[in-house]
Amino acid sequence: MRAAVTQGVGAVLLEDRPGPGAPEAGQTVVRVQAVGICGSDLHLLHGDLGATHEGLLPRVQGHEFSAVVEVADPAGDGPAEGTRVAVWPVLACGECRPCRAGRVNVCRRLALIGVHRDGALQELLTVPTGSVVATPRLTSVQAALVEPVSIGVHAAARARVAPGDTVVVFGAGPIGVASALAARDRGGQVLVVDPVGARRELLARAGFPVCWAEDVELAVQVGAHSGPDGPDVVLDTTGRAALLPTVLDIAGHGGRVAVVGLTSATAPTSPGPIPFKELDVLGVSCCLPEEFAAAADLVARHPELVDSLVSHVFALDEVAGALRLLDERPTEAFKVLVDVSGDTRLPTATGGDR
Ligand SMILES: [Zn+2]
Ligand SMILES: [Zn+2]
């Protein structure tokens, strides 16, 4: 079978590899359909994950994916052959303190399919049956977007978004859109802030108030949405370290701030607003299994918005180009997909727009 292997920093080669053997009890073999490429894939590509990067390469990347069950679990659990599925990419040890407390997404020995284990940029893959979610109502493209949407579901849950809460989402990339959608689904009044006009337009079409301004003017616009008390919740999905002071300033007294975007960057930040306003500052990593299933349901209820996130589709032998596009033209590339099976019914071309 074909596999796109990240050999080293910036080098992805297509290899012919033997397929997986028959699954053991508790395992399912899936045939990959579509794979989303995201910012964390670039971190691995560039080797800027610091100490955690040791020993990760060579690696088959791909943690956001749809698939069809090729060989069902021999124990009789899980979806039958031919079922379209999405796969929760978290592998947790089950023994450490967070695992024992049910917070398996922050397992001390956390491994992610596509980061610490070979992922979905190959034709066949063995996965834990317990991580497989049947998505019969979704297309292969929509099912591949369940994972990024699940980050938004987790962010809104971490920030305890409740009906009537005013919510400001910074960043309208795929995770920002997912966070806005999940926060609105919980009853939040959501404003989305992003400097890129095309991204604001996409959200405006989905009924979200949007804005962009610098400094004082931004505070004025957020105030117009949230009122004098400021927002109950701020979700920062930008991954831009330099934005954190603004995020802490804009949050209302007694509010919640969730920091979603991964970054290795640093920027000076005064912690002052955290005690002064008694902000709850919450980190958001990947999601819990029940949130992954909830994300599949959220995608099924908003197929048009989810479809509109896809900006480019590449074939499996064009993975290097897909990564380069996301790296070099990040505002133009929205969600970049790799069509592994060749049957997502979307045109593929090097750098080609949908
Ligand atoms: Zn991702
Ligand atoms: Zn653990």
Side-chain angles (χ1 to χ4, degrees), residues 62-63 65 87-91 111-115 117-120 125 127-128:
H63 57 277
F65 62 103
V87 179
W88 181 57
V90 174
L91 303 168
L112 287 177
I113 294 172
V115 180
R117 305 276 188 277
D118 279 346
L125 182 64
V127 295

Side-chain angles (χ1 to χ4, degrees), residues 138-164:
L138 306 185
T139 66
S140 60
V141 169
Q142 292 158 0
L145 287 158
V146 168
E147 199 281 339
V149 169
S150 77
I151 308 300
V153 169
H154 185 55
R158 285 280 284 156
R160 308 188 299 280
V161 175

Side-chain angles (χ1 to χ4, degrees), residues 91-100 103-104 106-110:
L91 303 168
C93 77
E95 294 168 2
C96 69
R97 185 178 62 203
C99 277
R100 294 197 307 274
R103 295 184 62 184
V104 291
V106 285
C107 169
R108 189 160 57 82
R109 301 183 197 92
L110 181 86

